Amino acid sequence: MSGNPEDHIDMESLDDLKDIMEDDFQMLLDTFIVDSESKIEEIAGVIADGDAEALRQVAHSIKGSSGNVCASALSEVARQLEAMGKDGDISGAPEVFEALKVEFATTKDILLNKI
Amino acid sequence: MESNLKPISSEPEEEILRILIADDNDSDRLILQTIVRKEGHTVYTACDGQEAIDAFKKLSPDLILLDALMPNVDGFQAAREIRELAGENLVPIIFLTSLKDAASLADCLDAGGHDFLSKPYNRIILKAKIQAFARMRRLHETVQAQRDEIVKHNDHLVHEQQLAKVVFDNIAHSGCVDAPNIKYLLSPMAVFNGDLVLAARKPSGGMYVFLGDFTGHGLPAAIGAMPVSEIFYGMANKGFSLQDILQEINTKLKRILPVGVFCCACLVDFSFRNETAEFWLGGLPDVFVYRDGSAIEHFASQHLPLGVLAGDKFSTETRLIPMARDDRFYMWSDGILEEVNEKEEMFGEDGVLKVFDRNSDPRLFFGELIAAVAEYTNHAEQDDDHTIVEAIMVAEEELGEYFSDQDSRSLIGGPPDWSLSYRLRPLTLKEFNPLPLLTHLLMEVPGLRPHSGKIYTILAELYSNALEHGVLGLESDLKSTPAGFAEYYLQRTSRLDGLAEGAVIFHLDHKPIENGGRLTIQVEDTGPGFDHGEKDDGHKTAGYCGRGIPLISSMCESVRYLGNGNQVEVVFAWSFDS
Amino acid sequence: MAIWSSEGSAGELTIKIQGRFDFSAHQEFRDAYEKSSDDPKGYVVDMKETTYLDSSALGMLLLLRDHAGGDNSSIAIINCNPDVKKILTISNFEQLFEIK
């Protein structure tokens, strides 16, 4: 884990979310983690295929869902990937994808700690 | 008519809705579902656009939260299909999107979304939006319900008006408006119009034609037409004068119509025998007379419309003009003159005069005028009611067939050739005044009604003579002093009370003669009579004087005493023209 | 169509009608004389800017006349253009109103 959790997650909003979700909070996080892991795998595939449009779609999805669980840093990295996909130039994608995986790992740790 | 329109909204602020959430992202859907459910709403979920469409068909939710980007069918396409399925019902669709650029957000609205909600979700905004759309939906339903209600009411109203119009047409455009010398055009603006065309033949053979234009349009305007029509036909058929009819209609309208509602009118009395037209014109545009295909004369309104002035201020002054055979009389409501062309200029009297100028055959003028107005307005919807009437001065024979049909009809209520005897015995003499009954009977004779005043006077004088002097034996000399006058009537009462025998017998005989009739009235009593030896010398004997006979003599062709003076015979000769 | 009313120095109420004077003016015209504060000594209907008059407007004038006391009313109709004047003349309204 690197640095302050606040650099990765908006903790106050996450507390709110926990209040809202109550008993479903854990299920939400589980869902988010499982879903994100499968999407990260998908990204690896689409980058390898050089499919910019597919990259845009998957990254967009991660951007949205990470935003909803208050993972603002992860959402921002996903946004960069989405932008590359949209521009059609994914030459820099592998590098950003690496950052995404690191950020996801951090986010996951913080979230699991929250339960 | 009752109205069941509901108030726009008095429902609680917070409404429980059935909400469909469609999002392919599991965690997003889970969060949203949880938030929405905690607000108390019922939630259905779908994982892509196709599922959303299927769920909509099955569940018809009140509100849809729709993710924009989804596999299979995306949110945009799903929104289009759902809108299509919803038809005229409002199903609010809120797009869920993390798209930020304006073009993408605009796409959401173009696809039929009503609003969008950006990720990450803000609970307070979501709640506010759901409630706002709940209100909008309720409003839409209310408007729809009110619209349906209005449509229903309107259908009902139109139906009622159609029925009423049948009745109205039977009343307002009846009589002899279809006579061969009359042409008329009535073009209704609504189902009803405020215009009225009536025509009736007079017992004397002439014809009354009436054009009326009530203030306003539709039902209120048509209501006033009923009494006008009733009075017109009732009085025209009984031979009342133009003045009497106008006075009666004006009085009636003044009494029943609210202030501000009145009837512009023209009433014309065509005499085919004298070849004249006598008319009264109040509030309508000038009437025109088109003479032998060249000269045109017009006459301006002289009077206020009918129903404005009280009876004592109302003037029935008319104009009498000669009309040669085939001269044409035109009258119209202001609608025709106020028709406008595309430049909003009125057709006006000038327009009418131009048609006269161009006309080469008077028989075609009526059609040419209608065509000219239609052309002027470029066949646009008319602004006002416009009614045109043409009446032609013809020889009475030309109407022969038409009027003879009318004759046989009107004769059902009017016997011209008959006689009767009517014997009043003591019990009747004591309790019953026979004069109204006899007058009423005589007034059934076509053409005799204008003479009702004279006839009543004659009957009344003869009856009182027969009863008082003949049956009761009272001396008229008694009435020469004030005391005697009172005594006379005291005796009249007591003798009548004690009357045990005696009778008064009326013999009435009416025979039609050329252009009129002869009414013979004999009144006989069971008294002793008197010496009427000098009867043929005039009205000088004591027997005559004081018996009201001079008055009767002035009204009748002849007065004769018969028998021993207990029988008097008067002959009243009358003509349609007198 | 627009209607204004104003009270003059001699205690008369002036009602001005602009544009078409027809049934659509009904409520406004009534308001113009019914809402005037105290009893005016007379009425002036100014038709300077009136372009058109129909039979329902004639009816409204009769309502005003009734309101103003019927036969005892004092109502002047002024500044009529020829078209408006013609309609008033056809209806013989000069018998009921002072038309100037």
Side-chain angles (χ1 to χ4, degrees), chain B residues 354-380:
Chain B
K354 275 182 202 148
V355 183
F356 274 122
D357 283 347
R358 282 202 301 270
N359 176 266
S360 55
D361 182 346
R363 285 171 300 179
L364 303 177
F365 175 78
F366 188 81
E368 286 170 5
L369 179 62
I370 292 166
V373 173
E375 195 188 332
Y376 190 78
T377 59
N378 206 7
H379 305 274

Side-chain angles (χ1 to χ4, degrees), chain B residues 246-493:
Chain B
L246 286 166
Q247 190 78 52
E248 185 68 21
I249 292 175
N250 182 66
T251 304
K252 181 83 168 187
L253 291 183
K254 173 75 180 156
R255 192 165 63 76
I256 65 171
L257 295 180
V259 174
V261 179
F262 49 79
C263 181
C264 297
C266 183
L267 176 56
V268 196
D269 175 358
F270 291 97
S271 169
F272 302 115
R273 216 165 293 154
N274 301 338
E275 299 194 336
T276 56
E278 182 182 6
F279 63 92
W280 180 99
L281 181 61
L284 281 182
D286 290 10
V287 294
F288 282 65
V289 178
Y290 192 13
R291 298 193 186 280
D292 55 46
S294 58
I296 295 150
E297 273 180 77
H298 50 116
F299 302 91
S301 153
Q302 286 176 301
H303 300 284
L304 281 155
L306 295 168
V308 175
L309 292 173
D312 53 337
K313 298 210 176 67
F314 179 71
S315 162
T316 56
E317 196 189 321
T318 55
R319 266 177 294 206
L320 182 69
I321 55 168
M323 283 193 55
R325 194 74 54 84
D326 294 329
D327 283 357
R328 282 148 202 270
F329 190 100
Y330 292 95
M331 47 191 170
W332 27 62
S333 59
D334 56 7
I336 185 164
L337 304 182
E338 289 175 6
E339 283 297 334
V340 291
N341 63 10
E342 280 142 5
K343 291 182 204 150
E344 293 284 308
E345 295 160 339
M346 290 193 190
F347 186 70
E349 250 167 39
D350 289 348
V352 175
L353 289 170
K354 275 182 202 148
V355 183
F356 274 122
D357 283 347
R358 282 202 301 270
N359 176 266
S360 55
D361 182 346
R363 285 171 300 179
L364 303 177
F365 175 78
F366 188 81
E368 286 170 5
L369 179 62
I370 292 166
V373 173
E375 195 188 332
Y376 190 78
T377 59
N378 206 7
H379 305 274
E381 283 273 306
Q382 64 196 56
D383 243 11
D384 200 332
D385 306 329
H386 56 66
T387 301
I388 311 171
V389 178
E390 175 193 70
I392 308 168
M393 180 56 67
V394 292
E396 205 170 358
E397 306 85 76
E398 286 179 47
L399 299 170
E401 211 166 292
Y402 182 80
F403 272 166
S404 64
D405 289 349
Q406 300 269 312
D407 261 330
S408 55
R409 263 192 277 153
S410 68
L411 288 184
I412 293 168
D417 188 6
W418 52 273
S419 72
L420 74 80
S421 291
Y422 188 35
R423 188 182 183 93
L424 301 122
R425 290 189 282 265
L427 213 54
T428 304
L429 292 172
K430 283 181 198 183
E431 289 175 354
F432 181 71
N433 176 3
L435 299 176
L437 176 70
L438 291 173
T439 311
H440 181 78
L441 196 68
L442 286 164
M443 290 313 107
E444 293 297 314
V445 174
L448 199 51
R449 183 168 290 270
H451 309 284
S452 62
K454 286 181 183 175
I455 288 170
Y456 189 89
T457 304
I458 296 166
L459 289 171
E461 289 298 330
L462 297 181
Y463 179 60
S464 64
N465 281 353
L467 177 65
E468 292 168 14
H469 307 311
V471 177
L472 300 179
L474 293 161
E475 287 297 332
S476 59
D477 291 350
L478 196 59
K479 286 197 281 186
S480 55
T481 65
F485 196 84
E487 175 61 21
Y488 181 90
Y489 283 100
L490 276 175
Q491 286 193 23
R492 185 188 188 279
T493 306

Side-chain angles (χ1 to χ4, degrees), chain A residues 47-63:
Chain A
I47 290 177
D49 295 345
D51 186 344
E53 173 55 22
L55 175 63
R56 185 186 71 80
Q57 283 185 22
V58 186
H60 177 86
S61 182
I62 294 179
K63 181 187 80 175

